Amino acid sequence: MVVSSSNRLLIILLLFVSAASEIYAATDTIACSRKGPCFLKKRSCPAECPNLYPTNPYSKVCYLNCQSPICTPECRNRKPNCNAPGAACLDPRFIGGDSIVFYFHGKSNEHFSLVSDTNLQINARFIGLRPEGRTRDYTWIQALGILFDSHTFSIETTKAEKWDDEVDHLKFLHNGRDLIIPQGHLSTWQSEESNIRVERTSLKNSVLITVPEVTEISVNVVPVTKEDDRIHNYQIPSDDCFAHLEVQFKFYKLSSKVEGVLGRTYQPDFKNPAKSGVAMPVVGGEDKYRTSSLLSAECGSCFFSAVQVSDKEDHAVVMDYGMLDCTSRSENGYGIFCRK
């Protein structure tokens, strides 16, 4: 490909501006700014999503999988897609890196490792209740704790008696300190070291968390609705709507030994124990993945280390399909064919 001097200068400027990003866009074109199969290959964005950044909280954005040899731009949502790989929604229902749907109930008021790798750990705090006559807790994800290098970050929902769309139900902590992120679409906070960024993807209750070159986490807060309560007979009390997180993860690079309730499904040779054809395939592992707190790296199968890991460590590149708009699916998540 021949690049004119003016275009070359534009590319250099764009690469400089987007140094913390893997992709850049100019008008309705997109390209990858890091070496890989799509490096500097300009591609036109689909007509339905011409922009890299959304024009409103509900619009999709143009996205290019920089590790794919096809180099075809796609549309993606910036809010969690609960019917795509990397999702953790409902009570809670996961979709693994292998595209298989499974449920992990854990236990109310306890913490479990969702992902544990050499340079990243993501824990979740579960909330829930056990109606009389039930043998297990109904649970939902109330908070996420993220450990990377020697830093910590947590995001959690605040308790609400009644759900109010006009109230922001999110609380943030960075390295143990309260963090205020102003409400508003595209309101953004970034750490001094530029090693974590949080961007609001709607006026309230939705954010995108990015640890550059490590992970991207789309988060949305929702209540347990009266309809969900009626269908599942949760018996939600009148003084708590059980506000919880809908989450979708995208990983840039994981080791082949990655662990965790969700992380293990990204292992190259993982055999998912979820039974096919079952309406709610439940997968266990509570004892293996239970942690003592939201920001604890200790669990039976955890191996995160705050010490910098050498690039020579065994790593397997994970295709970053996690937030693509996979439209071939049924309502309950089965039938997905966006596979690695």
Side-chain angles (χ1 to χ4, degrees):
M1 178 179 68
V2 178
V3 181
S4 66
S5 58
S6 60
N7 284 340
R8 187 179 296 111
L9 178 60
L10 174 62
I11 289 172
I12 292 173
L13 289 173
L14 286 167
L15 290 177
F16 176 76
V17 171
S18 60
S21 176
E22 191 176 19
I23 57 178
Y24 69 84
T27 62
D28 60 348
T29 61
I30 192 169
C32 293
S33 62
R34 309 214 174 194
K35 289 187 176 180
C38 307
F39 182 57
L40 295 185
K41 292 182 180 179
K42 296 174 68 176
R43 295 290 185 265
S44 296
C45 292
E48 59 269 28
C49 57
N51 302 309
L52 181 63
Y53 291 98
T55 55
N56 63 67
Y58 309 102
S59 60
K60 295 179 181 180
V61 295
C62 182
Y63 173 72
L64 182 61
N65 182 349
C66 292
Q67 298 300 324
S68 171
I70 301 175
C71 298
T72 301
E74 304 276 354
C75 290
R76 76 170 184 180
N77 294 298
R78 283 163 59 85
K79 288 190 176 183
N81 182 347
C82 289
N83 293 315
C89 303
L90 303 174
D91 59 342
R93 184 191 70 174
F94 292 85
I95 302 182
D98 53 4
S99 299
I100 293 177
V101 177
F102 67 95
Y103 288 77
F104 176 85
H105 296 303
K107 192 174 181 180
S108 177
N109 300 317
E110 292 194 355
H111 305 84
F112 299 90
S113 173
L114 302 187
V115 178
S116 184
D117 207 356
T118 53
N119 64 337
L120 174 70
Q121 176 133 338
I122 303 173
N123 298 334
R125 178 190 299 131
F126 286 21
I127 55 171
L129 75 168
R130 181 181 298 189
E132 186 177 351
R134 299 291 299 183
T135 58
R136 64 166 180 82
D137 294 346
Y138 288 120
T139 55
W140 296 270
I141 295 175
Q142 182 266 338
L144 292 179
I146 307 167
L147 295 81
F148 59 101
D149 298 334
S150 58
H151 303 280
T152 62
F153 183 88
S154 65
I155 177 172
E156 61 184 80
T157 65
T158 55
K159 185 176 180 179
E161 179 177 327
K162 302 290 184 182
W163 180 258
D164 185 349
D165 285 326
E166 298 304 313
V167 175
D168 188 54
H169 298 272
L170 284 173
K171 179 181 179 180
F172 311 92
L173 282 90
H174 177 240
N175 290 335
R177 296 183 177 180
D178 285 329
L179 174 65
I180 303 298
I181 301 178
Q183 297 177 24
H185 178 228
L186 299 184
S187 174
T188 304
W189 169 87
Q190 182 168 275
S191 65
E192 292 183 1
E193 301 88 350
S194 298
N195 56 10
I196 186 168
R197 182 173 67 253
V198 183
E199 178 185 338
R200 288 192 182 268
T201 51
S202 65
L203 299 178
K204 306 173 183 71
N205 295 314
S206 301
V207 296
L208 185 67
I209 304 169
T210 303
V211 180
E213 298 188 43
V214 178
T215 186
E216 190 174 282
I217 309 170
S218 182
V219 180
N220 189 42
V221 186
V222 294
V224 175
T225 66
K226 290 183 178 179
E227 181 64 9
D228 286 338
D229 188 21
R230 183 190 66 82
I231 293 173
H232 300 285
N233 192 29
Y234 292 135
Q235 301 179 37
I236 299 296
S238 60
D239 62 347
D240 192 347
C241 68
F242 281 86
H244 60 279
L245 302 178
E246 294 179 331
V247 188
Q248 189 183 11
F249 301 94
K250 167 186 164 186
F251 303 104
Y252 292 99
K253 185 168 64 173
L254 295 171
S255 77
S256 60
K257 299 177 181 178
V258 61
E259 271 289 356
V261 174
L262 178 66
R264 57 184 166 176
T265 67
Y266 288 86
Q267 295 174 6
D269 56 352
F270 178 69
K271 304 296 183 184
N272 202 314
K275 295 181 180 180
S276 60
V278 177
M280 291 184 62
V282 178
V283 172
E286 288 87 347
D287 293 339
K288 292 173 60 177
Y289 301 121
R290 182 181 285 105
T291 65
S292 59
S293 68
L294 187 63
L295 295 173
S296 170
E298 302 297 326
C299 80
S301 295
C302 294
F303 62 97
F304 167 79
S305 173
V307 179
Q308 283 282 2
V309 179
S310 169
D311 289 337
K312 294 181 181 180
E313 289 283 342
D314 175 31
H315 277 84
V317 174
V318 175
M319 299 297 286
D320 50 357
Y321 52 75
M323 295 185 183
L324 295 186
D325 183 20
C326 303
T327 55
S328 281
R329 67 179 83 92
S330 63
E331 290 185 358
N332 64 1
Y334 295 94
I336 297 168
F337 65 83
C338 294
R339 305 178 71 93
K340 58 183 178 180

